Amino acid sequence: MAIPTLRNRSFFDLPPESADDPRAPYAILPIPFERTTSYMPGTRQGPTAILDASTQVDEYDDELQTAFDLCVQTLDMPQLDDLDDYEALAHIQRVAEAASQESRFLLSLGGEHSITAPLVAALKETRGVQTVIQVDAHADLRNEYQGTPHSHACVMRRILELGLSTVQIACRSLSAEEANLIETRDLPVLWARDLADGEIDTAKIDSAVRGPVYLTIDIDALDPSEAPGTGTPEPGGLSWYSLLKIVRHVITTHNVVGADIVEVAPIAGMAVTEFLAARLAVKVLLYHNRRGGRARG
C-alpha cells in the first residue's frame, strides 16, 4: 500500500523547474518525525519552519562571493503518523534510498535525531557511506533510552552497529555508559571545551575518515544563545562561525554524499533557530557545489 506524502513549500522558494526536477543534483527531504523527545517537544514542526525560513534567506553568499543558483528538488514530506516507530524509520530509509540514487546529494531536515540512522543506512547502500561525522552537543551513544533503542539518544550507537567509522564534534553532554564506550573503543571525539577558542583539530577529523562521508548536524551543537529553539539545549556550544569552519572543512576536504540538520524545535514568535538552520542548509549546498562543481539551475 502506498504511503501518502504531504506537499510542502519549496526550499528557498525555488521555481517549479528546480523544485520539482527529479534530475536535480541536490534534493531536500523534510522529515517531520518526533517520537522520542525527552525534554522540550517541537521537532515535528522543524522541517516546515526551516523551509518557510529559507524563503527569507538572501541569494548572495558573502563568504563564497556567489549567488545561490543551484538546482534543488524539494521532495514531498513523508506522512508518518499512521506508522509505528519501526515502520516509520523503515519508511524513511526507503524514501532516502530512492532519493539518493543517481549520485545526487541528499540534505534531510528533521525532525528528531533518530532519523539519522535510517538515512545513513540508506546512503550506505546507495552511495557507499563509510564514515559519519556528527556535530552535536550529545554523544547519542546509549544502547537504549527511555525504553527504546530507537531514541534520539541512541542514534550514533545504531550507526556504530552498521560497521561505520564515526567522528563526534562539539560533544559536551554524555552518560557514564557513553563515556566508557568512547574510551574502550577509542572513538574520536572533538570535545566542545577544546573548541572554545575557535581552533579546530582538523587532522583528528581527517585521520578518522575513510570512504564516502555522511554529515549529521544537531542544531544543539551551537550554543543556545545562538540556537535556542531545540529540545535539549546545552551551554558551551559552538558559535556560528566555528560551526561554519567545521562544516566547510568537512565538505570541501572529504567526499560528503549526504547530510542532515536535525533537532530544530521552533519557538513561537521567535524565528532565530529555523532561520539559522535555513542559512546552514544553504551553506551546506554551496560548500558542496564549490567542492565538486555540481550542476546549476
Side-chain angles (χ1 to χ4, degrees):
M1 180 181 66
I3 297 175
T5 59
L6 300 176
R7 187 56 181 161
N8 35 261
R9 181 192 292 272
S10 66
F11 180 75
F12 211 74
D13 212 15
L14 292 170
E17 55 265 30
S18 176
D20 297 332
D21 185 358
R23 298 166 300 173
Y26 296 98
I28 296 286
L29 176 60
I31 307 175
F33 184 76
E34 180 178 8
R35 301 287 176 86
T36 70
T37 48
S38 52
Y39 189 27
M40 302 297 293
T43 56
R44 178 188 175 92
Q45 283 75 47
T48 297
I50 297 169
L51 289 175
D52 287 346
S54 74
T55 67
Q56 302 302 311
V57 177
D58 283 332
E59 67 174 14
Y60 188 79
D61 185 272
D62 65 301
E63 177 195 7
L64 298 176
Q65 298 184 12
T66 187
F68 184 86
D69 59 354
L70 305 182
C71 187
V72 184
Q73 183 187 18
T74 304
L75 299 167
D76 288 338
M77 190 177 296
Q79 174 57 263
L80 305 169
D81 290 347
D82 296 332
L83 306 177
D84 65 28
D85 292 358
Y86 178 81
E87 292 170 335
L89 294 172
H91 180 57
I92 290 168
Q93 180 172 340
R94 290 192 296 270
V95 170
E97 286 176 353
S100 59
Q101 300 289 344
E102 306 301 331
S103 299
R104 68 186 344 204
F105 185 91
L106 180 65
L107 175 59
S108 300
L109 307 176
E112 66 173 57
H113 210 167
S114 56
I115 67 171
T116 300
L119 291 171
V120 168
L123 271 74
K124 178 176 184 265
E125 180 67 26
T126 62
R127 304 298 307 280
V129 164
Q130 296 184 47
T131 301
V132 175
I133 297 179
Q134 171 203 15
V135 188
D136 195 335
H138 305 87
D140 290 345
L141 286 167
R142 298 170 192 257
N143 190 49
E144 182 179 290
Y145 190 64
Q146 295 185 337
T148 175
H150 300 299
S151 169
H152 66 102
C154 306
V155 63
M156 293 304 294
R157 187 69 166 263
R158 303 289 79 84
I159 286 169
L160 283 176
E161 291 171 352
L162 294 173
L164 304 180
S165 297
T166 63
V167 184
Q168 297 178 290
I169 304 172
C171 184
R172 55 193 188 275
S173 178
L174 69 167
S175 66
E177 171 197 358
E178 293 168 298
N180 182 64
L181 183 68
I182 289 170
E183 181 178 1
T184 57
R185 296 189 59 168
D186 194 25
L187 301 177
V189 178
L190 278 68
W191 301 99
R193 63 179 179 270
D194 297 326
L195 303 173
D197 61 1
E199 294 298 317
I200 299 162
D201 187 355
T202 56
K204 187 171 184 179
I205 299 172
D206 299 343
S207 64
V209 171
R210 56 182 176 88
V213 172
Y214 186 94
L215 174 64
T216 177
I217 306 169
D218 188 321
I219 208 69
D220 68 23
L222 285 151
D223 193 79
S225 63
E226 301 209 25
T230 189
T232 51
E234 287 286 343
L238 298 172
S239 70
W240 168 249
Y241 288 109
S242 291
L243 175 61
L244 290 188
K245 186 184 296 186
I246 291 165
V247 172
R248 181 170 183 168
H249 174 79
V250 168
I251 293 178
T252 59
T253 304
H254 301 288
N255 180 24
V256 179
V257 298
D260 63 52
I261 301 170
V262 297
E263 295 289 345
V264 171
I267 299 172
M270 180 189 292
V272 172
T273 308
E274 51 264 41
F275 187 81
L276 184 152
R279 282 283 305 272
L280 179 59
V282 169
K283 286 287 194 181
V284 166
L285 297 178
L286 285 175
Y287 289 153
H288 188 270
N289 185 72
R290 174 62 62 90
R291 178 187 188 273
R294 299 297 298 269
R296 295 176 180 268

